[in-house]
Amino acid sequence: RNLRFVEEADKSIYIGFGALSDTYLNQKKIIELALEYKCDGIYPGYGFLSENSGFAKKVTSAGIKFIGPTPEVIDLMGDKKDSKVKMEEIGIPLIPGYHGDEQSLEILITQGEKIGFPLLIKATAGGGGKGMRIVESKLDFEQSLLAAKREAMNAFGNDKVLLEKYITTPRHIEVQLVSDGQGNHFHFYERECSIQRRYQKVVEETPACGIDDKLRSQMCETAVRIASNIGYIGAGTIEFILDESGDYYFLEMN
């Protein structure tokens, strides 16, 4: 409450003390306050309700502008499986893998053998490394799958997984985007996020070192093509994996 941006606001409203469900995640209370103070827009910030399509729908239904992507785009790009299907449709390079609906052990093992080991089991609703396991051989597959599904269900309430070829020396490159809602999509170049601990970024650096202008241009143009094809609005980040041979693949969007 003593931070400068709070002091500089025309009005600041204390939403109470207690559990997140009663405060920052209390959708009803936030919308009621916005209506009471005659706000014409709600910006959800980072985390909390920022990628919650249900909240975006409630804001819009209340006659308030949701400052961010449409609920449909939040749902599409928030799901690793659905977003990969969409990227396939528009010809965006993907890491070789399996993101089908069939989730039986037999199907997943068969698909895993086709991809080859090592591979990555990844929760479709996941993030932050939760519901993710590296599998070195077929012998480890079942145990790793069960562990990933358990963790995903606990963290996200959804135990669906996808499989990806594990790139052993990856670089993590992100492209920042802003789309203005009038059909214009702009990139603001790339940043390198390869220095990580437990799948969480520790250092982000821009420009990314060791990337030439041609590759930089290709990656940034691919990010803009994604934003354009999904009808994006607002600020967003396209994440790519870059392998040792200089090939890059869509990872996810935030």
Side-chain angles (χ1 to χ4, degrees):
R1 69 178 69 184
N2 297 316
L3 291 176
R4 184 172 173 179
F5 70 86
V6 180
E7 292 178 352
E8 291 191 358
D10 296 324
K11 277 190 172 62
S12 62
I13 297 99
Y14 179 57
I15 57 172
F17 177 81
L20 290 175
S21 57
D22 297 326
T23 55
Y24 286 102
L25 294 176
N26 190 332
Q27 301 179 31
K28 185 171 182 285
K29 187 172 187 178
I30 290 168
I31 292 170
E32 284 174 353
L33 284 166
L35 290 169
E36 181 184 338
Y37 286 89
K38 296 182 170 56
C39 298
D40 52 17
I42 291 181
Y43 170 62
Y46 298 95
F48 298 113
L49 297 171
S50 65
E51 295 188 12
N52 187 309
S53 62
F55 180 61
K57 287 173 187 171
K58 287 174 186 172
V59 170
T60 305
S61 296
I64 304 168
K65 174 73 175 172
F66 180 79
I67 302 170
T70 63
E72 293 75 23
V73 169
I74 293 173
D75 282 338
L76 172 66
M77 301 311 283
D79 185 286
K80 287 182 169 61
K81 173 189 171 296
D82 290 347
S83 60
K84 282 177 180 289
V85 170
K86 182 65 176 179
M87 294 307 103
E88 271 184 330
E89 286 177 12
I90 59 180
I92 303 298
L94 294 173
I95 301 169
Y98 171 76
H99 46 266
D101 289 323
E102 291 288 339
Q103 293 281 303
S104 70
L105 176 62
E106 294 74 18
I107 292 288
L108 291 172
I109 286 177
T110 302
Q111 292 297 327
E113 288 180 310
K114 283 183 186 175
I115 296 162
F117 296 93
L119 61 76
L120 203 58
I121 299 173
K122 192 185 288 187
T124 64
K130 293 191 187 308
M132 195 150 81
R133 292 292 186 278
I134 300 166
V135 186
E136 298 290 347
S137 72
K138 184 180 176 181
L139 292 174
D140 305 324
F141 189 91
E142 184 173 355
Q143 187 177 352
S144 299
L145 175 67
L146 292 173
K149 279 181 166 287
R150 229 178 2 254
E151 192 172 83
M153 180 57 76
N154 288 336
F156 314 114
N158 180 345
D159 70 350
K160 279 192 173 181
V161 298
L162 55 84
L163 308 178
E164 285 180 353
K165 181 177 176 59
Y166 181 61
I167 297 172
T168 52
T169 54
R171 291 176 64 185
H172 192 125
I173 310 292
E174 302 183 344
V175 176
Q176 184 70 60
L177 289 165
V178 174
S179 302
D180 66 1
Q182 305 299 315
N184 301 302
H185 307 276
F186 308 92
H187 73 77
F188 290 85
Y189 293 96
E190 86 296 343
R191 57 183 179 257
E192 172 122 20
C193 313
S194 300
I195 300 175
Q196 300 187 11
R197 180 175 182 269
R198 296 178 182 172
Y199 306 109
Q200 295 290 325
K201 297 157 200 169
V202 178
V203 175
E204 297 191 2
E205 181 181 3
T206 188
C209 57
I211 290 182
D212 61 29
D213 288 342
K214 182 181 178 184
L215 180 56
R216 176 176 289 109
S217 177
Q218 286 175 342
M219 294 181 85
C220 289
E221 285 170 11
T222 300
V224 168
R225 186 149 60 95
I226 292 170
S228 176
N229 275 273
I230 64 173
Y232 198 73
I233 298 172
T237 302
I238 302 287
E239 301 188 12
F240 294 108
I241 288 292
L242 179 67
D243 68 17
E244 57 271 22
S245 64
D247 292 323
Y248 64 91
Y249 307 98
F250 171 81
L251 184 63
E252 63 179 350
M253 184 176 193
N254 289 315

